[in-house]
Amino acid sequence: MIAFGLDLGGTKIEAAALSPDGAFLARVRRPTPGAYEAGLEAVAEALAEAERQAGARATRVGIGGPGSVNPLTGRMRNANSTWLNGQTFPEDLARRLGSPVRYANDADCLAVSEARDGAAQGHNPVFAVILGTGCGGGLTVGGRLVTGAHGIAGEWGHSPLPSPTPEETPGPACWCGRRGCLETWLSGPGLARDDGRGLTAEAVAERAAQKEAQALASLERHAERLARGLAGVVNLLDPGVIVLGGGVGGIPGLAEGLAERIRPHVFSDDWRCEGVRPRFGDSSGVRGAAWLWDR
């Protein structure tokens, strides 16, 4: 059976059709409009084009995106694409498409894809992190997605930075209304803010690759904060693999040095865990979304 999925990002929408063995039969990208009705229309158009390219009808659709659906109300919450919050997005989209829709956080979709046949295949549990515009996480156990009783499992990005120094207290203001959330430190905007020169996170990484001292210092602080943040996840869940996705997660050396940085903060004398990059890169999100009906 051909599976259809869609990745709803902050700047782009990607729809895809996958064969049963995970090969792409269609891939369609559109810009994200940033408004609700226009967003629904853009998603519908992207999926229609994916259906045309695949030569098949989408009888059900998986969507990965920011935030999550409140299982009690059916309404979106916790999305940094704030135009989604409070909306009955999966229900409205299903009505427009004429097909059932299942929605999950984009980091959940990353975890599903990488645990199924990606860089985390054969490991258990798997914790997947997206470090990009925001900071999210997803968890699989036995290859199956864990969302929790209220659909917020993996939302580690809105926990406070552990063991903050005086310079890190109270921390930057977060869009969620709190201060010092991990997202304010570990996201792309957080890295750029730490560098303090008005550069993008990508530009900071490029300057670090050229051995510029200030950029290297910013990346060092970022890596150390990431280790502190993930150590709490390790002590609670003991994952076999941590997958680092997103633009910031792909900075050279970050995944490779992750375990050594986490180890001093872990309650174990022989802890081992790989930090890996997604096998499928930014395609993991849409692949995981397509398989949400198999979870």
Side-chain angles (χ1 to χ4, degrees):
M1 179 179 179
I2 296 174
F4 285 84
L6 186 134
D7 183 16
L8 179 59
T11 59
K12 60 93 177 167
I13 293 167
E14 180 176 7
L18 300 181
S19 68
D21 63 357
F24 281 101
L25 302 176
R27 297 185 75 174
V28 179
R29 290 196 174 193
R30 298 279 190 273
T32 303
Y36 191 67
E37 289 299 327
L40 285 169
E41 185 61 29
V43 167
E45 290 176 357
L47 283 167
E49 176 59 18
E51 288 178 319
R52 188 193 69 77
Q53 291 182 16
R57 172 90 168 86
T59 58
R60 58 190 189 184
V61 179
I63 307 284
S68 61
V69 180
N70 186 325
L72 299 178
T73 67
R75 294 185 179 275
M76 296 291 300
R77 51 30 189 326
N78 299 340
N80 56 8
S81 295
T82 54
W83 53 273
L84 285 167
N85 290 329
Q87 304 285 356
T88 53
F89 180 72
E91 179 183 329
D92 294 342
L93 182 60
R95 187 180 304 112
R96 185 164 301 206
L97 298 177
S99 302
V101 170
R102 180 166 283 173
Y103 188 99
N105 183 267
D106 49 5
D108 289 343
C109 295
L110 172 65
V112 169
S113 176
E114 294 299 318
R116 177 166 174 160
D117 64 351
Q121 186 177 18
H123 294 274
N124 189 50
V126 172
F127 191 70
V129 172
I130 292 181
L131 303 176
T133 305
C135 174
L139 173 68
T140 65
V141 175
R144 300 185 71 81
L145 181 63
V146 177
T147 57
H150 301 91
I152 60 170
E155 287 287 7
W156 74 299
H158 291 279
S159 300
L161 178 69
S163 304
T165 66
E167 294 77 16
E168 294 169 336
T169 304
C174 184
W175 65 268
C176 74
R178 301 177 178 89
R179 298 189 70 92
C181 290
L182 284 167
E183 182 166 305
T184 67
W185 297 107
L186 303 180
S187 64
L191 174 58
R193 183 189 306 109
D194 178 87
D195 185 75
R197 291 179 288 178
L199 301 174
T200 63
E202 181 181 20
V204 174
E206 289 173 354
R207 295 197 181 194
Q210 298 165 5
K211 308 300 182 185
E212 184 198 84
Q214 184 168 339
L216 284 170
S218 292
L219 288 191
E220 175 64 24
R221 288 189 294 272
H222 180 274
E224 196 276 331
R225 288 166 180 152
L226 176 62
R228 274 187 273 156
L230 285 173
V233 174
V234 168
N235 282 330
L236 185 64
L237 301 175
D238 194 15
V241 158
I242 298 172
V243 183
L244 288 188
V248 176
I251 291 175
L254 189 61
E256 294 79 359
L258 186 60
E260 288 304 313
R261 292 180 180 277
I262 292 176
R263 186 169 287 111
H265 304 286
V266 172
F267 191 62
S268 173
D269 59 354
D270 61 352
W271 177 77
R272 298 174 182 84
C273 180
E274 295 182 62
V276 299
R277 298 182 188 179
R279 176 182 175 188
F280 300 104
D282 66 358
S283 298
S284 279
V286 74
R287 293 176 84 259
W291 284 324
L292 286 176
W293 287 94
D294 299 336
R295 69 184 186 181

